[in-house]
Amino acid sequence: MNFQLTEEHLAVQEAAREFAQSELLPEVIERDTEARFPHEQIEKMGELGFMGMMVDPKYNGGGMDTISYCIAMEEISKIDASASVSMSVNNSLVCWGLEKYGSEAQKQKYLTRLASGEILGAFCLSEPEAGSDATSQKTSAELKGDHYILNGTKNWITNGSTASVYLVIAQTDASKAHKGISVFIVEKDWEGFVVGKKEDKLGIRGSDTHSLMFTDVIVPVENRIGEEGFGFTFAMETLNGGRIGIAAQALGIASGAYEMSLAYSKERKTFGKPISEHQAIQFKLADMATQIETARLLVHKAAWLKDQGEDYTLASAMAKVYASEVAMNVSVEAVQVHGGYGYVKEYHVERLMRDAKITQIYEGTSEIQRIVISRKILK
Ligand code: CAA
């Protein structure tokens, strides 16, 4: 057993930290207030290799392990969880899904551009009536010769208007329930594909969340990933890895809030001494540090299992449910440590508190993670 990060991991950490400080921190408050997508910053993240970190270099990826990806996600999320959700979806849902299950032609055509950050991808599973209950897909794809006709609506799609390529889950044979679900690669400019309203959100306001409408969109058969009926397994397998990314995001939100609280507690004085010398604050910091360390161990363990080729379904669900609850607890306490300053935008922690909430909801709510965990341990 070895808890030491390698030199490569430390280099990734340094690069991500430096990027977050120099490129994401300026204007992060303005982007949140104006719900403005970090276009320029995401472009630079692509240039630096953060958008396809685990993809094989032959498809323009970084060829790194999942631990490196989690380390980068943590550092980016300390400063800007809106940028990190785009990074997470592109890396662990879209690129991973395509690399693992796509055909060589699909990889050459789409993965090479997604991994380099030239274009962004989106993962389209959720629907107005199929969030947690993901098997209840209403979007349909009907085979007509050499193409499918795609119809339906997707909801809460990250990178909704900024993506160029969308992995769309749809029902191809309703009589087979979840075994009749398939997955398709859809391009944004295809006729009948409309990007719907942008959501006005509590947190991760700089991220680009939309509903999408498909009306008689013609999708060539060669854009189906895997066989017909493989779509639900594709979604579940992809989300198992995606959840490690979101757990790392939650960890980053928690560590960002903690680091700011630690620094602030040494500067702010009450009753004649820094608040870090009051036991009430010391205990809060101690709890934050302990929870963050525990979450990091779970996140890195899940990433390590994935890198070893072992089953990581249980570990990723545990990492996500725990890290997202830590993100919520720690960010609420960070606002409390900052007192009145914590309640205003300038001090960042109120934004981290708002951003933390979504980590308990997307890529499977905390309740869904508990279903996954309990089914595994009771098997
Ligand atoms: N890994 C692999 N396979 C899984 C799985 C997992 N974690 N969970 C379920 N499956 C498989 C089951 O083994 C089963 O396969 P078989 O039929 O071959 O045996 C199949 O999926 C159906 O599973 P269940 O019978 O258990 O179906 P269910 O309806 O009772 O429960 C669920 C399924 C686990 C609740 C699933 O619907 C689920 O995970 N829901 C949450 C969906 C989700 O995470 N959505 C997030 C949206 S994406 C997003 O947020 C991205 C973004 O933009 C940020």
Side-chain angles (χ1 to χ4, degrees):
M1 188 169 290
N2 184 358
F3 290 99
Q4 201 90 38
L5 295 182
T6 63
E7 275 186 22
E8 191 189 357
H9 293 147
L10 292 170
V12 168
Q13 189 175 52
E14 181 61 32
R17 193 174 286 165
E18 156 62 23
F19 176 80
Q21 285 295 329
S22 62
E23 303 284 345
L24 290 171
L25 186 56
E27 291 197 20
V28 66
I29 295 172
E30 290 78 2
R31 288 197 300 275
D32 171 74
T33 307
E34 296 158 21
R36 177 154 50 86
F37 186 80
H39 288 282
E40 246 178 68
Q41 291 79 358
I42 294 285
E43 211 178 299
K44 286 188 185 157
M45 282 163 70
E47 287 161 16
L48 288 169
F50 288 126
M51 301 308 279
M53 291 184 70
M54 296 169 287
V55 174
D56 191 316
K58 75 176 178 196
Y59 301 116
N60 294 337
M64 291 183 207
D65 61 12
T66 314
I67 296 187
S68 301
Y69 165 61
C70 289
I71 290 169
M73 276 296 297
E74 180 179 347
E75 291 304 322
I76 304 273
S77 306
K78 280 183 188 173
I79 305 295
D80 189 349
S82 294
S84 75
V85 70
S86 277
M87 173 178 163
S88 178
V89 167
N90 203 70
N91 274 276
S92 45
L93 297 182
V94 180
C95 286
W96 187 85
L98 267 172
E99 186 169 23
K100 175 92 176 164
Y101 298 112
S103 67
E104 187 54 32
Q106 290 167 349
K107 290 181 202 178
Q108 292 298 343
K109 185 167 181 190
Y110 299 109
L111 181 60
T112 48
R113 298 172 68 207
L114 288 158
S116 66
E118 182 193 330
I119 56 170
L120 268 182
F123 180 82
C124 312
L125 173 68
S126 302
E127 298 187 351
E129 289 170 61
S132 290
D133 185 8
T135 57
S136 298
Q137 294 288 307
K138 298 276 190 306
T139 298
S140 66
E142 195 187 342
L143 186 60
K144 296 263 181 192
D146 63 354
H147 62 267
Y148 287 86
I149 305 288
L150 182 69
N151 280 290
T153 301
K154 295 289 175 182
N155 257 28
W156 311 294
I157 304 302
T158 302
N159 298 338
S161 76
T162 47
S164 302
V165 168
Y166 299 74
L167 304 188
V168 182
I169 317 291
Q171 192 66 252
T172 40
D173 185 348
S175 70
K176 293 186 182 156
H178 73 273
K179 291 192 191 299
I181 290 173
S182 304
V183 54
F184 302 92
I185 306 167
V186 176
E187 295 181 30
K188 187 199 237 142
D189 53 7
W190 287 352
E191 214 177 312
F193 177 11
V194 174
V195 175
K197 89 170 162 72
K198 178 175 173 177
E199 302 295 349
D200 187 6
K201 308 188 294 290
L202 171 73
I204 56 162
R205 291 178 51 76
S207 80
D208 174 36
T209 315
H210 285 258
S211 52
L212 307 174
M213 275 79 79
F214 304 95
T215 311
D216 295 332
V217 177
I218 296 175
V219 182
V221 169
E222 63 262 27
N223 273 37
R224 191 187 65 222
I225 301 177
E227 296 299 313
E228 254 198 28
F230 175 63
F232 196 71
T233 304
F234 175 89
M236 291 297 108
E237 292 291 347
T238 307
L239 281 165
N240 286 335
R243 287 165 185 167
I244 303 177
I246 298 303
Q249 179 189 47
L251 173 62
I253 293 171
S255 341
Y258 163 70
E259 286 173 14
M260 284 175 210
S261 303
L262 195 64
Y264 178 81
S265 73
K266 292 176 188 165
E267 284 160 19
R268 173 72 169 159
K269 289 197 173 96
T270 60
F271 306 103
K273 54 185 178 185
I275 61 170
S276 61
E277 290 177 25
H278 296 303
Q279 198 177 52
I281 301 298
Q282 290 170 349
F283 281 12
K284 284 190 194 301
L285 294 170
D287 284 346
M288 288 174 169
T290 307
Q291 288 174 25
I292 288 167
E293 191 58 25
T294 319
R296 190 175 291 114
L297 288 172
L298 281 174
V299 171
H300 287 192
K301 163 101 183 281
W304 180 83
L305 283 171
K306 181 163 176 276
D307 290 334
Q308 301 308 306
E310 306 250 356
D311 185 352
Y312 52 92
T313 308
L314 176 67
S316 77
M318 284 181 169
K320 182 177 184 285
V321 73
Y322 188 78
S324 61
E325 285 175 11
V326 167
M328 205 64 247
N329 295 342
V330 169
S331 60
V332 167
E333 285 297 71
V335 172
Q336 194 68 18
V337 169
H338 283 74
Y341 291 108
Y343 205 65
V344 297
K345 295 196 171 193
E346 195 186 333
Y347 282 77
H348 297 282
V349 285
E350 65 80 35
R351 185 185 73 257
L352 293 173
M353 183 180 85
R354 288 185 284 107
D355 289 351
K357 187 62 203 167
I358 192 62
T359 65
Q360 295 181 304
I361 299 172
Y362 57 21
E363 298 205 19
T365 59
S366 293
E367 291 73 16
I368 290 292
Q369 306 312 320
R370 288 186 168 94
I371 291 177
V372 174
I373 294 166
S374 56
R375 283 182 183 173
K376 276 277 179 192
I377 60 179
L378 288 166
K379 211 157 85 170

